[in-house]
Amino acid sequence: MPNPSGKVLSEGKTKIVRETERSDVVLLEFKDSITALDGEKKDILRGKAVINSHISAYLLELLEKNGVPTHIIEFIEPNMMRVKKLNMIPVEVVCRNIAAGHFVKNFPVAEGTPLNPPVVEFYLKDDARHDPMLNEDHFLVLGLASREEVKKIKGLTLKTNKVLSKDLKAKGLILVDFKIEVGRGTGGKIYVGDEINADSMRLREVGTNRILDKDVYRKGGSMEEVLNTYVQLYEKILGKKPPIGGTQSG
Ligand code: UDP
């Protein structure tokens, strides 16, 4: 893989953010690491960077085409994206169509129950506090965003849900839930940032209800099963084989 030269601005669990020649543009380099349980479970999944970066670029471009502003500028083979530098709001925005994960832990609703209307939730990104849930008032008192911005974020999230659900359904996939992150660009405009892929969505195969996302890893699947899941998701979304060579598990 090419070795980008820009100064590292930050490095997270799954991506490295680098400076570029432009102050309003950064380079995201996806990594092969996979984590769960607040980072307690950690592995290297060879090929994941290529798969997740391609899926993210495809879905961000799909959102752009459908009127949802996102940070993507261009994809750079094999695992990088040039993106607008955003001032990220330290919040995870979750949207749920079907009850799963934390929703079934927190509420008396059986896994698999359709949620109508879709539920939008906000969580503060704060590992030490295990990402507490936020309501609209919390945004104001914590100085995270104004009421108008929260409304805008919720609207962008529901539009994102519609666009993603429709495209994925046409590819035989049910979008159970997903997480996005948002930030402010020039002039304070709100954009969808970060990544959207098997790490941040729950997906089920139409007909079989087979899991096609990071839940396979969270639930203790072998690395071969996890890679196989990511490869199959790539094939379903992009309609071709991922450019990751032969056997990549390990
Ligand atoms: N999610 C994520 N990052 C997180 C927490 C959740 O991308 O730190 C995604 C997750 O993949 C799922 C959705 O957000 O698609 C809802 O997750 P949930 O709140 O149920 O938490 P989980 O049970 O996945 O920890």
Side-chain angles (χ1 to χ4, degrees):
M1 289 194 185
N3 195 7
S5 57
K7 187 180 143 203
V8 173
L9 295 173
S10 66
E11 177 162 359
K13 290 175 203 147
T14 60
K15 293 186 297 302
I16 300 170
V17 184
R18 284 197 167 80
E19 234 174 25
T20 66
E21 69 292 348
R22 287 186 53 162
S23 61
D24 57 347
V25 174
V26 292
L27 185 73
L28 299 186
E29 182 191 352
F30 286 67
K31 306 201 293 188
D32 275 341
S33 42
I34 181 162
T35 67
L37 308 170
D38 277 347
E40 269 172 49
K41 185 172 153 80
K42 234 187 264 181
D43 285 282
I44 296 292
L45 186 67
R46 301 252 171 257
K48 176 178 178 265
V50 169
I51 291 174
N52 270 11
S53 60
H54 276 83
I55 291 176
S56 287
Y58 169 78
L59 293 176
L60 290 168
E61 278 163 5
L62 177 77
L63 290 175
E64 283 282 335
K65 278 183 216 141
N66 285 277
V68 178
T70 80
H71 65 161
I72 192 157
I73 299 170
E74 62 168 339
F75 183 69
I76 301 172
E77 295 287 353
N79 66 331
M80 287 174 278
M81 293 191 313
R82 274 168 74 82
V83 299
K84 289 190 181 74
K85 186 175 185 178
L86 302 180
N87 188 3
M88 295 304 289
I89 299 173
V91 165
E92 297 195 335
V93 188
V94 168
C95 183
R96 303 179 186 276
N97 295 306
I98 297 173
H102 271 97
F103 195 85
V104 298
K105 272 193 209 130
N106 291 341
F107 303 109
V109 176
E111 180 152 6
T113 307
L115 303 172
N116 198 4
V119 175
V120 176
E121 297 169 348
F122 306 103
Y123 296 89
L124 182 67
K125 279 174 70 104
D126 186 332
D127 283 346
R129 295 184 170 80
H130 303 291
D131 297 353
M133 200 193 267
L134 303 169
N135 69 24
E136 194 179 312
D137 291 338
H138 292 127
F139 275 87
L140 300 182
V141 295
L142 297 177
L144 294 166
S146 68
R147 250 185 232 290
E148 296 73 52
E149 284 177 319
V150 177
K151 215 170 151 191
K152 181 93 203 164
I153 294 167
K154 189 167 176 189
L156 280 183
T157 305
L158 289 170
K159 180 83 192 283
T160 296
N161 186 37
K162 277 204 177 128
V163 173
L164 296 184
S165 294
K166 185 173 171 215
D167 186 79
L168 294 166
K169 194 170 174 203
K171 291 167 174 165
L173 296 162
I174 299 160
L175 181 59
V176 172
D177 57 33
F178 65 93
K179 181 265 308 181
I180 55 171
E181 297 189 24
V182 296
R184 299 181 188 91
T186 41
K189 180 173 166 175
I190 307 271
Y191 292 86
V192 174
D194 199 53
E195 57 184 303
I196 308 177
N197 49 47
D199 287 5
S200 58
M201 298 186 284
R202 279 200 176 90
L203 294 156
R204 299 291 178 267
E205 188 174 50
V206 174
T208 66
N209 222 27
R210 196 159 56 108
I211 297 173
L212 282 174
D213 59 65
K214 198 166 86 170
D215 271 355
V216 173
Y217 177 71
R218 291 191 189 99
K219 291 176 188 217
S222 71
M223 293 312 280
E224 201 181 336
E225 284 167 331
V226 178
L227 181 66
N228 197 17
T229 301
Y230 279 67
V231 167
Q232 285 187 44
L233 187 65
Y234 181 104
E235 289 176 2
K236 279 186 183 287
I237 295 181
L238 293 161
K240 56 188 177 190
K241 293 209 174 303
I244 59 168
T247 43
Q248 300 277 327
S249 55

